[in-house]
């Protein structure tokens, strides 16, 4: 199987990484509380050790996702504190710095609020995975029963081939296989249905968070344009700051943009390179309108043509 694009192999650097190499690892990352922390290690090692064998791997994934959401809660909380500290620091600076940092603090605080909302929406993905895990756990007993009967039959055939228990166990095995067949079919159907639903929850929430973050970043950069960063000579005074109304309007525009954002107006659309193009999946509204208009014009032309033919026929009869 082709494994070039796989988590099992190291990925080649992206164009962005080649253009701007990634910075060195942050000094704030700790060997005790980072990706190799004691809590993380215990969680990964114990999550899949309990419960039915069939559901252990999915249980480990669900437990890991829970840890991820808890980490996001910490990030959101720290970001709120950072927003307040930014505003407090800026309040003791010049008027332009004070106003801009106060508004930037509002945007940074909104990032934390969006992360909180993201946690709630992302958790729908995790809850849906739990429903698959529960189905897996319910199927395990039927597998165990079938395997147990199979082992008993094999043991008896080896120890006592003439045993009268063998036909009885074979009949039980037939019933167990029938029950297992139904359970396995149900598991297969539900797994596919809920796997799609779960990752739709995840990707929709990720998409919303990413695009709203991008919106806030754009308005944040607009705020920075209000700062006069031209150098001044010692003793020279800067011109009076008059950007209060502009900064207030930027915040209002940001709030309006976030409130009106929906998945339908999302800017990012994937480009597909197999079987179909992105246009086959995401039909542009203008194209749809054009197709409808063309269809209406075609119908109208045919209708008018029919009326002309009827008129000509009427004239011939006269």
């Amino acid at each position: 199987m082709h494994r070039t694009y796989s988590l099992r192999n190291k990925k080649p650097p992206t164009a962005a990484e080649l253009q701007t190499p990634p910075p060195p690892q942050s000094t704030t990352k700790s060997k005790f509380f980072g990706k190799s922390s004691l809590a993380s290690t215990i969680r990964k090692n114990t999550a899949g050790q309990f419960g039915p064998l069939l559901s252990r791997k999915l249980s480990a994934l669900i437990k890991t996702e829970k840890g991820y959401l808890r980490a996001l809660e910490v990030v959101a909380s720290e970001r709120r504190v950072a927003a307040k500290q930014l505003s407090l620091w800026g309040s003791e600076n010049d008027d332009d710095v004070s106003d801009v940092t106060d508004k930037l603090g509002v945007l940074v605080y909104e990032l934390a609020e969006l992360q909180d909302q993201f946690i709630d929406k992302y958790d729908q993905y995790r809850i849906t995975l739990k429903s698959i895990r529960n189905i897996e756990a319910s199927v395990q007993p039927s597998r165990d029963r079938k395997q147990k009967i199979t082992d008993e039959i094999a043991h008896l055939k080896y120890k006592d081939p003439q045993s009268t228990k063998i036909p009885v166990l074979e009949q039980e095995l037939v019933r167990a296989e029938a029950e297992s067949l139904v359970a396995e079919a149900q598991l297969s159907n539900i797994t596919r249905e809920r796997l799609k639903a779960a990752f739709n929850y995840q990707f929709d929430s990720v998409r919303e968070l990413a695009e709203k973050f991008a919106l806030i970043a754009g308005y944040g950069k607009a705020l920075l344009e209000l700062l006069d960063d031209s150098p001044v000579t010692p003793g020279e005074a800067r011109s009076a700051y008059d950007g209060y109304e502009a900064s207030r309007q930027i915040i209002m525009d940001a709030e309006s943009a976030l409130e009106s954002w929906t998945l339908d107006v999302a800017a990012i659309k994937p480009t597909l390179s197999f079987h179909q193009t992105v246009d086959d999946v995401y039909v542009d509204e203008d194209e749809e309108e054009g197709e409808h208009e063309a269809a209406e014009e075609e119908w109208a032309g045919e209708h008018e043509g029919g009326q002309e033919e009827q008129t000509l026929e009427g004239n011939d009869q006269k």
Side-chain angles (χ1 to χ4, degrees), residues 43-61:
R43 181 167 56 248
K44 287 187 291 185
N45 291 339
T46 60
Q49 300 300 319
F50 305 100
L53 182 63
L54 181 60
S55 62
R56 288 181 183 177
K57 291 182 179 179
L58 190 52
S59 294
L61 170 60

Side-chain angles (χ1 to χ4, degrees), residues 119-181:
I119 291 170
D120 296 335
K121 295 177 180 179
Y122 191 93
D123 196 44
Q124 295 301 308
Y125 145 76
R126 195 180 68 89
I127 291 172
T128 307
L129 287 185
K130 289 175 71 174
S131 68
I132 301 176
R133 181 202 62 188
N134 295 340
I135 295 294
E136 287 183 341
S138 69
V139 171
Q140 186 67 55
S142 66
R143 286 190 179 185
D144 294 342
R145 181 167 176 265
K146 186 176 70 171
Q147 186 61 47
K148 181 180 178 181
I149 297 172
T150 301
D151 293 342
E152 288 181 5
I153 292 174
H155 177 70
L156 284 174
K157 284 184 176 180
Y158 174 78
K159 185 178 179 181
D160 184 9
Q162 304 303 321
S163 174
T164 56
K165 291 183 179 180
I166 293 178
V168 176
L169 289 173
E170 288 177 342
Q171 291 179 0
E172 290 185 13
L173 180 60
V174 171
R175 289 192 294 269
E177 287 177 341
E179 293 175 1
S180 178
L181 193 62

